[in-house]
Amino acid sequence: MEIVIFILVILIIGVIAIQYNSIMKLKQRVKQSRSGIDVYLQQRFNLIPNLVETVKGYMNYEKETLKNLTELRAQYNKTNDMKISQELNNKINYVIAVSEKYPELKASEQFLNLQKSLSKMESQLQAARRIYNNDVTTYNTKISVVPYNIVASIFRFKEEELFKIEDVGASKNINIDIE
Amino acid sequence: MEEFQGIIIISKVFYLLFISLFLLVLCIRLFKIKKNLKSKKNLKIDDKRFEEMYNNMLENINMEELEELRNKAIRKNEKNKNIFKIVCFSVIILALISFVLMLEQKFMVAIILIYIIMIGPIIFAIFFGKKKKSDITIYQDKYKEKVIPEFLKQFEEKIKYYPAEGMPMDIYNGAEIENYDRYRSEDMMDIILKNDCKAKMAEVYTEYKTRDSEGKIHFHPLFSGIFALIETPKKFKEELYVKQDKELTIRSITPKCEKIQLDSPEFEQYFDIYGTNKIVTMQLLTADVMQMFIDFRKDTGIRFDFVIKKNRIFLRFFCGSIFEHPYLKESLLDKNLMYRNYKILDFTFDLTYKITKLIEETDY
């Protein structure tokens, strides 16, 4: 009887260890893809001072947005928080979208170069985001199905958040009155 | 009687071998016909551009000469088929008679019959094979001369067609898509796309060889279809392979490529992706591009591989020939076949435009 119980305990420990390892592997993958996003976000956010400097002369009506952009960047540098990064990224996209309403700004060579760099980085960021979200979905699915959810709750694995980027042009109707 | 015993045994063995071989060839032939019929998927034609194109072709091509050749080919084909049927029937009857004769111990007559059964079809095959080829070839050549150039003229891209030329072997090898032992190519097209990219497309056939226990070499088909090369203006450092799921013919993949998991389960159902850079792969395989791949695969049922290396895009479609005339009994300008060929070219061009634009946007 004792031998049976011993074998059972060993078996249960073995199963838990295997499940723990497979969840851990997915978590590591999420971490890795998150760092990929961070790299591209950082590259993108490094252009914020240039962006603010270039547009502030033209976009008088968006002073608050630009100030907000600088503050958010400082905040992100301190905390590396994903929610702030999403907000910051959406703000950049907003500024770029709003610039369409300023013909003089649109004609500026400096702004055009900046816009080109930002959109290139945006494409890389989108790619990194897809990788990250894919890994997060796989991880979240894993820890929510039986029997992995039991192991996940024992070791307190929590669901990860998806990285969302707002499509400013499509989702918001930007309407600015220029007097 | 005893002195004939050896000859009788040898003849019996020959008899059994020959009958089995004959039945095997007959089965393979029937299987091939069935397979061909199955692979010919009927497509739903709902493309206005194609309809316009098809109508233009009907107006511009002088059908009379082609129809005449087609009818001649049909008649010859029917005649050959009947001869083939008679020969098959005769072989079976003679085989049965010789079998009965053997049972009745009339070995000499049976042996003579067995040798007739063996030699007869060989003589017939030599004669029949030669005759069949010449008539269909004349029709095929005319079809390539009249129909294919007119079909290619309908595209906005500049396409030059060289039926006798093929894709150089080193270009095909450049895709590093498979290892083969025998290579053949014909029906080459030189294309200048709307975005000034240069492209080449041709029919390619590859085979691999095996040796049997007696050391004889046998060749087996590996790839038969359309192979395309497109040169992009921007040099691309990374490599990307989109291959058919569970594709057995793919024997070699560049070792530095890793399998990449994408975020579309439907796409992954059909394709396996290998690349040197995850981010670039995602940048190129956008939702739009993936949908294009899926739609083409679903609509046409044609399997295909897609490779990007340096400044070259390679595509190969497992579609057999696209320049062959339709089945003799089908209409001369078989709409379904034309649509299938149109879809292949249209997909190649559209995909190229999208991918070259996306490559421009990448930083690699």
Side-chain angles (χ1 to χ4, degrees):
Chain A
M1 188 63 186
E2 280 161 0
I3 294 170
V4 174
I5 292 170
F6 178 73
I7 291 170
L8 262 175
V9 168
I10 294 289
L11 214 67
I12 290 168
I13 291 173
V15 169
I16 289 175
I18 290 167
Q19 289 184 358
Y20 176 84
N21 281 347
S22 80
I23 296 175
M24 208 56 200
K25 263 185 204 165
L26 290 179
K27 198 173 166 73
Q28 283 304 323
R29 225 165 72 183
V30 170
K31 217 172 162 185
Q32 213 179 348
S33 44
R34 169 72 215 263
S35 65
I37 286 196
D38 285 341
V39 169
Y40 293 111
L41 279 174
Q42 199 58 56
Q43 280 180 7
R44 204 162 195 244
F45 297 160
N46 284 345
L47 290 178
I48 289 175
N50 276 350
L51 181 69
V52 172
E53 204 57 42
T54 312
V55 301
K56 75 177 176 192
Y58 302 91
M59 293 163 71
N60 292 324
Y61 303 95
E62 296 292 337
K63 270 182 185 161
E64 202 50 45
T65 311
L66 297 179
K67 198 181 155 197
N68 199 225
L69 201 63
T70 318
E71 280 170 5
L72 275 173
R73 187 190 171 227
Q75 237 176 307
Y76 174 74
N77 283 345
K78 270 185 202 164
T79 57
N80 237 17
D81 185 65
M82 191 185 254
K83 271 192 181 154
I84 296 173
S85 73
Q86 285 178 27
E87 205 180 326
L88 195 50
N89 197 54
N90 293 338
K91 277 259 155 40
I92 294 176
N93 288 345
Y94 174 76
V95 171
I96 299 285
V98 162
S99 66
E100 296 290 319
K101 303 276 179 183
Y102 298 88
E104 281 178 17
L105 175 62
K106 257 179 79 183
S108 147
E109 202 179 322
Q110 201 184 351
F111 178 74
L112 285 175
N113 286 336
L114 200 61
Q115 198 182 22
K116 213 174 164 185
S117 306
L118 281 167
S119 65
K120 222 171 217 181
M121 280 174 199
E122 175 69 16
S123 149
Q124 288 167 337
L125 185 63
Q126 287 284 7
R129 185 181 71 96
R130 280 172 60 201
I131 295 171
Y132 172 77
N133 283 352
N134 193 27
D135 290 344
V136 167
T137 310
T138 316
Y139 167 76
N140 286 349
T141 313
K142 189 93 171 180
I143 62 166
S144 60
V145 295
V146 179
Y148 292 93
N149 58 348
I150 302 164
V151 180
S153 63
I154 294 169
F155 294 98
R156 293 185 184 172
F157 284 104
K158 280 181 189 163
E159 282 206 355
E160 294 285 340
E161 249 180 85
L162 295 173
F163 187 83
K164 289 170 192 160
I165 296 176
E166 249 176 65
D167 187 354
V168 180
S171 63
K172 279 186 187 173
N173 189 13
I174 300 158
N175 195 7
I176 304 149
D177 293 324
I178 304 168
E179 284 170 32
Chain B
M1 200 65 207
E2 276 175 18
E3 60 222 35
F4 290 116
Q5 209 60 38
I7 301 171
I8 291 166
I9 293 166
I10 294 168
S11 299
K12 274 182 181 175
V13 172
F14 266 140
Y15 172 76
L16 286 172
L17 274 174
F18 180 77
I19 292 296
S20 343
L21 197 75
F22 177 75
L23 289 172
L24 188 77
V25 170
L26 211 69
C27 286
I28 291 172
R29 209 186 140 89
L30 285 172
F31 175 72
K32 269 189 180 172
I33 292 168
K34 233 182 174 180
K35 204 179 158 192
N36 279 341
L37 287 173
K38 261 189 183 175
S39 64
K40 209 182 159 219
K41 188 183 173 183
N42 270 322
L43 306 176
K44 197 182 158 201
I45 302 171
D46 55 356
D47 191 319
K48 274 186 188 168
R49 198 178 140 213
F50 170 74
E51 292 286 355
E52 203 179 300
M53 214 171 138
Y54 187 74
N55 290 336
N56 282 343
M57 284 177 73
L58 284 176
E59 274 176 28
N60 298 344
I61 296 171
N62 180 10
M63 305 277 215
E64 276 173 26
E65 194 184 357
L66 275 166
E67 273 298 342
E68 204 179 302
L69 282 171
R70 184 170 77 99
N71 287 329
K72 204 177 161 190
I74 290 173
R75 281 196 297 273
K76 285 278 177 188
N77 202 31
E78 282 297 316
K79 199 177 153 190
N80 289 338
K81 266 186 191 168
N82 289 336
I83 294 171
F84 182 75
K85 278 177 198 166
I86 292 166
V87 170
C88 288
F89 186 70
S90 313
V91 167
I92 292 166
I93 294 292
L94 287 175
L96 283 171
I97 294 171
S98 59
F99 183 69
V100 173
L101 287 171
M102 272 193 187
L103 288 177
E104 288 178 3
Q105 308 280 312
K106 289 175 182 169
F107 292 110
M108 278 310 286
V109 190
I111 289 165
I112 293 166
L113 275 180
I114 289 165
Y115 284 104
I116 291 173
I117 293 170
M118 285 194 286
I119 297 161
I122 295 167
I123 296 167
F124 163 76
I126 296 165
F127 180 74
F128 176 77
K130 268 186 185 173
K131 278 271 176 187
K132 188 186 167 194
K133 207 177 168 187
S134 60
D135 286 314
I136 305 237
T137 311
I138 294 168
Y139 171 56
Q140 174 68 57
D141 289 347
K142 217 43 178 188
Y143 181 84
K144 281 187 180 179
E145 190 191 311
K146 301 263 179 190
V147 178
I148 301 296
E150 189 58 42
F151 169 67
L152 298 174
K153 225 168 78 182
Q154 304 299 320
F155 288 90
E156 284 172 44
E157 290 75 10
K158 289 173 197 157
I159 308 174
K160 281 183 184 167
Y161 174 55
Y162 308 100
E165 284 180 34
M167 181 75 72
M169 205 195 271
D170 58 317
I171 292 180
Y172 187 75
N173 293 345
E176 288 184 273
I177 222 161
E178 69 182 10
N179 298 324
Y180 57 85
D181 296 309
R182 202 150 68 176
Y183 177 89
R184 187 163 64 87
S185 176
E186 57 185 359
D187 293 305
M188 168 91 132
M189 287 182 280
D190 259 329
I191 307 162
I192 296 174
L193 298 167
K194 281 190 276 182
N195 61 358
D196 290 333
C197 281
K198 284 180 184 167
K200 280 179 195 294
M201 279 177 104
E203 280 185 11
V204 168
Y205 311 90
T206 58
E207 290 170 314
Y208 68 95
K209 64 179 177 189
T210 54
R211 269 176 204 276
D212 60 20
S213 54
E214 289 168 11
K216 274 186 186 173
I217 295 170
H218 300 276
F219 284 93
H220 312 276
L222 198 58
F223 170 70
S224 164
I226 294 293
F227 177 77
L229 156 79
I230 301 111
E231 285 173 357
T232 61
K234 190 181 169 185
K235 266 209 170 176
F236 185 67
K237 286 177 202 158
E238 304 296 337
E239 288 178 20
L240 170 66
Y241 290 79
V242 179
K243 298 186 168 199
Q244 291 298 302
D245 216 359
K246 295 172 192 111
E247 184 51 67
L248 295 172
T249 61
I250 279 99
R251 294 191 186 169
S252 66
I253 290 168
T254 319
K256 52 186 174 174
C257 287
E258 57 167 326
K259 194 171 186 306
I260 293 170
Q261 203 188 346
L262 291 188
D263 49 357
S264 163
E266 196 183 8
F267 186 79
E268 297 224 315
Q269 230 181 3
Y270 292 109
F271 306 101
D272 274 343
I273 302 98
Y274 300 88
T276 47
N277 188 316
K278 244 182 170 183
I279 297 286
V280 176
T281 304
M282 288 289 190
Q283 275 184 281
L284 296 185
L285 297 177
T286 57
D288 279 5
V289 173
M290 285 197 290
Q291 199 52 50
M292 252 182 107
F293 275 63
I294 295 167
D295 288 347
F296 178 78
R297 180 74 168 81
K298 270 186 176 172
D299 292 349
T300 61
I302 297 171
R303 296 183 299 126
F304 66 96
D305 293 328
F306 172 79
V307 176
I308 305 182
K309 283 181 108 182
K310 290 177 185 169
N311 62 331
R312 290 175 156 196
I313 297 173
F314 300 99
L315 267 162
R316 62 173 198 163
F317 300 93
F318 291 74
C319 59
S321 174
I322 70 164
F323 301 108
E324 283 249 338
H325 59 78
Y327 282 125
L328 285 175
K329 283 184 179 174
E330 299 274 353
S331 136
L332 185 67
L333 284 182
D334 180 6
K335 201 171 181 181
N336 195 49
L337 185 79
M338 285 288 158
Y339 186 58
R340 178 175 161 272
N341 300 344
Y342 159 79
K343 282 286 243 183
I344 292 171
L345 293 182
D346 193 46
F347 172 74
T348 306
F349 300 154
D350 277 356
L351 186 67
T352 305
Y353 296 138
K354 265 201 177 145
I355 292 287
T356 44
K357 213 174 159 193
L358 286 166
I359 288 177
E360 287 294 323
E361 282 172 16
T362 60
D363 239 357
Y364 299 88

